[in-house]
Amino acid sequence: MEMSRKLTEMTNRIDTLEQKLDAGQHAQHDQLVSGLGTLGGRLDELRHREDTLEASQNAHVVAAPAATTSASATPAPPRNSAHKSGDVAATHHIPSDAPPAEHPAPRPHYTVQAGAPDIAILENPQGQPVRVQPGSVLDGWGSVTAITQSGSSWVVHTEHGIIR
């Protein structure tokens, strides 16, 4: 009689544990599905932003030939802020006995347009979208080492610095 009661008690405990296990598995499944949905949504957003940047770039490329043909008819005055380093050196007197100043070449300016875990879309200096992931190499920046989220924005870590 005592053995039967203990067996019934153990059976009830096992049933309770199985129910808790099933509930935990369902909760984890729901959490996983929700997380994958969020990740899928972020990737869709990333693809959309990339498509938008490409469309914008294509519109600029199409508009550029029209601008150059009109520019050849009436030349635009040079912009002071657009001088190249060679132009600047030509306008300043550098004494011949002074050693040449060595300045490292400035790194190209990239901006992070969108990101997701281990992938980011950057805009290069020419306004074109560039997709990067760890291991990608960017001119002047070296290899991409990581892509992390900082608040609501994404940060691309490279061998030679951080791109935000």
Side-chain angles (χ1 to χ4, degrees), residues 29-51:
H29 177 266
D30 292 345
Q31 195 174 21
L32 178 63
V33 168
S34 172
L36 288 175
T38 301
L39 180 60
R42 292 290 295 159
L43 287 175
D44 287 343
E45 178 183 347
L46 188 59
R47 286 185 191 109
H48 173 71
R49 287 184 180 190
E50 181 181 30
D51 292 343

Side-chain angles (χ1 to χ4, degrees), residues 130-149:
V130 178
R131 183 186 306 209
V132 296
Q133 59 192 25
S136 298
V137 178
L138 290 170
D139 289 337
W141 291 91
S143 180
V144 173
T145 57
I147 299 169
T148 59
Q149 190 168 13

Side-chain angles (χ1 to χ4, degrees), residues 50-83:
E50 181 181 30
D51 292 343
T52 303
L53 283 170
E54 286 175 356
S56 174
Q57 167 56 15
N58 289 341
H60 288 358
V61 168
V62 170
T68 56
T69 56
S70 64
S72 63
T74 57
R79 294 175 56 190
N80 291 340
S81 63
H83 283 301

Side-chain angles (χ1 to χ4, degrees), residues 92-100:
H92 296 291
H93 175 19
I94 299 174
S96 60
D97 59 340

